[in-house]
Amino acid sequence: MCFFLRHLAIINLGDSTAIAPKMLGKFLVSKKTVSYYECAAQLGRFLVFIVAEIFMLPAMAYDGYMAICNPLLYMVVVSPQICLLLVSLTYLYSLTTALTVTSCVFSVSYCSSNVINHFYCDTVSFLALSCSDTYMPETVVFTSAAINLFFSMVIVLISYFNIVFSILRIRSSEVRRKAFSTCASHVMAVTVFYGTLLFMDLQPKTNHSLDTDKMASVFYTLVIPMLNPLIYSLRNKDVMDTLKRFSNKPCQSFKFM
């Protein structure tokens, strides 16, 4: 789990740094422009990390499934080589997806307005500026998003269905509590991440707006990368002990050399 957490932290750092620096720069200066190639680079970089996160979470769910449901086979099935293979395939697939989607989005002509109704180069807001047929890039974007979400969510749901089923068969309430607490942080992270993506994708056409997309984008580009370290830290006993000590005696919680 720690191996996958390290890579999730790298992905979250990539998510936020792909968007936040340029966004903050636009807030601070009066000239809020971005070049055509900078926009393509930003979109490609963002897609690499968001797709990687979509499949890193199922890899972590599978890791939890093996640890709880098949503990005797854990070191054989989830060996360091298998973990490295899962992470490598995740990055390779995310890079391939990002290159495919970005090349499709930037293959059409843009000759109308040059004002992007977003705080970063998003596919939907960017394609809205095209003056040519956008059927093919829109199909590629939609198909890619649908396939990625479907397969990753299926893996997560199957893994957690088996985890819950195995935990409920445990007779000891103390062991059940510990098993549930082991999965709690990942379940919370998965719920927040997929909940945001589903909120964007399942909106009816009549109620869909770019303003809603912008609010949701802030959540999964900035808020979720900030929340994940907090969510996974709360299961750490040392962190919890420090927080309790600080809340009880804030002035005496720090030691000076």
Side-chain angles (χ1 to χ4, degrees):
M1 182 60 75
C2 290
F3 175 80
F4 290 115
L5 277 175
R6 284 198 297 271
H7 286 278
L8 182 64
I10 293 170
I11 290 168
N12 285 156
L13 182 65
D15 271 343
S16 53
T17 54
I19 306 298
K22 195 72 179 177
M23 181 186 71
L24 294 173
K26 291 173 186 174
F27 289 154
L28 296 174
V29 297
S30 56
K31 189 179 180 182
K32 300 173 181 172
T33 59
V34 60
S35 72
Y36 182 81
Y37 295 106
E38 280 182 321
C39 209
Q42 186 188 57
L43 176 61
R45 183 182 173 188
F46 171 70
L47 287 175
V48 166
F49 290 111
I50 198 69
V51 174
E53 186 169 3
I54 287 175
F55 284 97
M56 191 61 66
L57 293 174
M60 295 172 71
Y62 176 73
D63 176 76
Y65 159 73
M66 290 303 303
I68 292 175
C69 300
N70 297 288
L72 298 178
L73 296 175
Y74 180 79
M75 293 306 296
V76 176
V77 178
V78 193
S79 63
Q81 293 80 11
I82 296 296
C83 290
L84 186 61
L85 177 63
L86 286 174
V87 169
S88 301
L89 289 175
T90 297
Y91 286 132
L92 180 63
Y93 176 75
S94 63
L95 181 61
T96 305
T97 303
L99 289 173
T100 304
V101 173
T102 304
S103 60
C104 285
V105 170
F106 283 83
S107 64
V108 296
S109 301
Y110 295 96
C111 52
S112 54
S113 173
N114 63 347
V115 179
I116 302 173
N117 187 15
H118 217 297
F119 59 85
Y120 77 100
C121 297
D122 178 57
T123 52
V124 176
S125 57
F126 204 78
L127 285 172
L129 306 179
S130 176
C131 56
S132 58
D133 184 21
T134 59
Y135 174 77
M136 183 57 67
E138 284 178 350
T139 303
V140 170
V141 170
F142 175 79
T143 305
S144 173
I147 290 173
N148 292 340
L149 270 177
F150 175 77
F151 282 106
S152 62
M153 288 186 67
V154 164
I155 295 170
V156 170
L157 290 174
I158 291 175
S159 297
Y160 274 102
F161 175 80
N162 285 285
I163 287 172
V164 171
F165 186 71
S166 296
I167 292 175
L168 291 177
R169 289 189 298 175
I170 299 174
R171 294 184 179 181
S172 171
S173 58
E174 181 66 19
V175 175
R176 278 202 306 269
R177 187 188 64 79
K178 288 182 178 180
F180 275 122
S181 66
T182 301
C183 307
S185 55
H186 187 252
V187 170
M188 194 181 302
V190 165
T191 303
V192 172
F193 182 73
Y194 285 115
T196 306
L197 293 181
L198 289 175
F199 171 76
M200 290 182 61
D201 294 338
L202 297 181
Q203 289 183 83
K205 284 281 187 181
T206 52
N207 297 332
H208 189 271
S209 70
L210 287 176
D211 290 334
T212 307
D213 279 355
K214 281 187 275 189
M215 286 191 294
S217 298
V218 169
F219 206 79
Y220 67 75
T221 57
L222 299 175
V223 178
I224 290 178
M226 181 184 67
L227 283 178
N228 277 345
L230 180 63
I231 291 172
Y232 286 103
S233 295
L234 291 178
R235 61 174 291 187
N236 188 295
K237 188 176 182 296
D238 293 334
V239 173
M240 293 302 296
D241 290 342
T242 303
L243 289 174
K244 288 176 183 177
R245 189 167 63 250
F246 181 77
S247 62
N248 293 333
K249 297 179 180 179
C251 296
Q252 302 177 17
S253 298
F254 299 101
K255 294 181 180 179
F256 297 95
M257 297 298 290

